[in-house]
Amino acid sequence: MYTSKDAIKVRVYETYLAKEKMNSDLFDFQVRLPKYLLLETYAEILHVIEPDSMVVQLSNVKIIKNDYEKLIVGDRIELGFLAVGDEVFEGNYKDFMFSLVGKEAETGIYRISSPVFEENRVRGFQYPLIE
């Protein structure tokens, strides 16, 4: 069971170096940490492995869709990821991350690629939080 951000990062990076593929299997292990710290850790890991992607919390979101992708525009919330809660989660990390998929409108948590910043506004293409 992993109970610190640093231990989780070491585990994921070592597994990634062995497989060289970013997917949900990297997070298939047991953890015990507050939910917002798990999401913060995931966001940091994702940005290291895929520097052109980021996980952000947004408000005042506008979504522009076409046949292939969604462009997300919103105001970045800098207070961390408290929208997912501060209670301690104990269980499979991958299951926790999948529990957030499809709840973007509720939590304001988005994974975007090719982000562009304009003061406090962020825009980029939406990707699934975890695959």
Side-chain angles (χ1 to χ4, degrees):
M1 171 132 353
Y2 293 82
T3 59
S4 76
K5 286 177 64 172
D6 289 340
I8 289 171
K9 287 179 179 182
V10 168
R11 158 76 190 247
V12 171
Y13 294 145
E14 286 177 350
T15 305
Y16 175 75
L17 289 173
K19 297 182 182 204
E20 295 186 10
K21 185 174 182 180
M22 176 66 178
N23 63 29
S24 62
D25 291 339
L26 294 176
F27 300 89
D28 193 10
F29 56 90
Q30 299 298 306
V31 294
R32 184 177 60 234
L33 271 174
K35 290 179 177 182
Y36 76 94
L37 281 179
L38 289 171
L39 186 55
E40 183 178 286
T41 304
Y42 176 78
E44 292 170 5
I45 291 167
L46 177 71
H47 192 64
V48 167
I49 293 174
E50 296 181 1
D52 198 33
S53 287
M54 65 185 305
V55 176
V56 294
Q57 186 174 2
L58 302 173
S59 64
N60 303 317
V61 174
K62 292 182 178 53
I63 300 172
I64 303 163
K65 299 179 188 180
N66 66 25
D67 292 339
Y68 306 104
E69 56 200 359
K70 291 181 187 178
L71 179 67
I72 304 294
V73 180
D75 298 323
R76 187 169 185 184
I77 298 172
E78 297 286 345
L79 301 175
F81 294 113
L82 290 174
V84 297
D86 62 355
E87 60 271 357
V88 172
F89 174 85
E90 185 171 336
N92 186 282
Y93 199 177
K94 180 168 85 169
D95 292 344
F96 168 72
M97 291 306 302
F98 274 111
S99 76
L100 300 174
V101 172
K103 295 184 179 175
E104 293 87 355
E106 178 184 326
T107 63
I109 306 294
Y110 293 86
R111 175 181 170 195
I112 58 175
S113 181
S114 304
V116 176
F117 300 91
E118 298 165 353
E119 294 184 23
N120 202 34
R121 302 277 294 165
V122 180
R123 77 172 187 261
F125 297 100
Q126 182 178 4
Y127 280 78
L129 189 59
I130 189 167
E131 301 177 90

